[in-house]
Amino acid sequence: NLSTKFLQGKAKGVEEGLKQGMEQGKEEGIKQGKEEGLKQGMEKGKEAGLKQGKKEGLKQAAQNMLNLGLSTKQISQATGLSLKEIEAIEQQIKR
């Protein structure tokens, strides 16, 4: 019958549309997930780089202070570096 064929065609169209919609939704979800992951990765990398750069700057300042004759305790107070870190810098200067 015509109405049966119509309903079957409509059902098939809905099924195909649903399948296509799910595929497109999945692709969009993957794309958004990649973008979000990349954004988070870049932010974490930037934070790590800034932290490392700050630490290197403090070590350079400590080295300069050692060269000026300041004590390791004074340098620790000024930079926030541990005495152990400053002593390691001091050993590198002596090499």
Side-chain angles (χ1 to χ4, degrees):
N1 299 6
L2 190 57
S3 63
T4 304
K5 288 183 180 182
F6 173 77
L7 291 175
Q8 288 173 343
K10 184 177 179 182
K12 186 175 181 180
V14 169
E15 185 179 318
E16 288 177 12
L18 180 61
K19 183 178 177 183
Q20 184 179 4
M22 288 176 64
E23 288 176 14
Q24 288 176 348
K26 182 179 176 182
E27 288 173 14
E28 185 63 28
I30 291 170
K31 181 181 175 185
Q32 287 178 358
K34 285 181 181 179
E35 289 173 0
E36 185 63 29
L38 180 60
K39 181 180 176 183
Q40 288 177 4
M42 289 178 67
E43 287 174 9
K44 287 182 180 183
K46 183 177 178 181
E47 289 174 19
L50 289 172
K51 186 176 181 179
Q52 183 178 356
K54 182 179 178 182
K55 187 78 164 183
E56 291 301 318
L58 289 172
K59 288 181 177 182
Q60 182 63 50
Q63 183 176 347
N64 293 341
M65 291 179 202
L66 284 166
N67 290 335
L68 291 172
L70 275 67
S71 73
T72 55
K73 185 176 179 181
Q74 290 171 317
I75 296 169
S76 178
Q77 290 172 340
T79 63
L81 294 173
S82 70
L83 291 174
K84 216 174 204 180
E85 289 173 303
I86 297 166
E87 289 167 1
I89 294 167
E90 192 172 32
Q91 291 301 316
Q92 288 176 348
I93 293 172
K94 290 180 180 179
R95 290 184 194 169

